[in-house]
Amino acid sequence: MTTGLQAFIQHLFVVGGRAVSIPPPGALAELAPPKAARARAGDTFFVLLSPASGAHASAPLLEELARLAADVYFGSGGGITGGLREALSAVHARAITSSVRLNALALVLRDDQLYAARAGAAFAALSQPGELRFLPADRRDPLESSLPPLGAAAEPDMQLSRYTVAPGEMLLAADEGLFDAADEAIGASLASGDLDAAIERLKALSEASLSASVMRFAPEAESDAVHLKPRASQRTPQPMPAVPAPEPAPVERAAPREP
């Protein structure tokens, strides 16, 4: 028998070396809206989009593309993996027409199963008892980690994976702003099972620019002030809880540092 889980989420957005008290503009997490396809009822969808190294994209464009990914996923039928492919393929097509290049990580939580799809330099880290699992498994291996960003090639190139998760486990979704952080440091940030503590530790590990989110999985019966809500419709997004702040300037990723 599978276990029904929910996800509580906090975000970390670093611009110019300073943490900003709003979610990254390309981060979106929500429950299935009322008009979702029948195959998607009960799913929780998450996406994190950010400009690739040396690229830039406006905050409104990133928000629009994140909503597009959610709309395409919740409107798709068939398997979850296929839905993730459709969602990121739609973002890829728009990225090409908008002349942007994007790191992307999309996740779906259904019961105790977590499905993931990544492109570019986005990655995930899942903290489980006695183990820290990454997607890609080895970020130091170019053969595993080197995927072109969305919008950089004629066809999108994605890496997919699936995990079984349990209450109390935590997952980091991040772009290249944490790509070079030590595995042990990331693991220590997630080990406490506390979202606030994880965010504070990850701030200290961040490069000058970072888009990241941390999820904590919990039983469906657990209540929390930062729980997700479905959108009222697929055209009206439900904003993620955040401290109100002015909209940031266009997000830009610095070019990779010279060794």
Side-chain angles (χ1 to χ4, degrees):
M1 180 178 178
T2 57
T3 302
L5 296 178
Q6 59 182 327
F8 299 127
I9 299 179
Q10 287 195 24
H11 303 285
L12 178 55
F13 187 31
V14 178
V15 180
R18 183 175 66 90
V20 183
S21 297
I22 59 173
L28 177 67
E30 63 181 42
L31 304 178
K35 295 183 179 180
R38 181 177 300 179
R40 304 295 174 233
D43 289 357
T44 301
F45 177 83
F46 170 85
V47 66
L48 179 69
L49 304 173
S50 68
S53 291
H56 63 87
S58 68
L61 177 60
L62 291 171
E63 292 167 352
E64 177 186 345
L65 293 177
R67 291 193 297 269
L68 172 65
D71 287 347
V72 170
Y73 176 77
F74 284 124
S76 66
I80 295 175
T81 298
L84 284 171
R85 286 188 180 276
E86 287 187 42
L88 291 191
S89 293
V91 173
H92 174 76
R94 286 291 302 276
I96 289 177
T97 60
S98 301
S99 299
V100 298
R101 293 177 291 111
L102 302 172
N103 302 314
L105 178 67
L107 303 163
V108 171
L109 177 65
R110 177 181 290 180
D111 297 323
D112 64 350
Q113 298 299 298
L114 183 70
Y115 298 76
R118 64 173 288 267
F123 75 97
L126 176 62
S127 177
Q128 298 184 304
E131 185 178 17
L132 184 64
R133 304 173 67 183
F134 284 92
L135 178 68
D138 184 357
R139 307 194 312 287
R140 318 304 175 198
D141 184 351
L143 294 178
E144 287 195 47
S145 63
S146 296
L147 289 179
L150 299 182
E155 297 294 331
D157 190 359
M158 307 175 203
Q159 182 182 17
L160 298 109
S161 191
R162 177 180 176 179
Y163 308 93
T164 298
V165 294
E169 295 178 353
M170 295 182 69
L171 179 134
L172 165 69
D175 67 3
E176 52 209 325
L178 282 173
F179 207 84
D180 291 330
D183 293 359
E184 296 78 8
I186 291 176
S189 299
L190 302 176
S192 69
D194 181 87
L195 288 171
D196 291 328
I199 291 294
E200 288 303 314
R201 288 193 174 207
L202 291 168
K203 284 180 185 179
L205 302 176
S206 171
E207 299 288 344
S209 298
L210 171 67
S211 293
S213 299
V214 179
M215 296 182 186
R216 179 176 66 83
F217 303 107
E220 288 182 333
E222 183 176 330
S223 62
D224 192 285
V226 196
H227 186 40
L228 305 180
K229 297 180 180 179
R231 282 192 277 168
S233 73
Q234 288 186 272
R235 294 299 177 190
T236 306
Q238 172 71 34
M240 293 297 297
V243 177
E247 183 175 288
V251 181
E252 184 167 356
R253 294 283 181 247
R257 296 191 301 265
E258 293 294 332

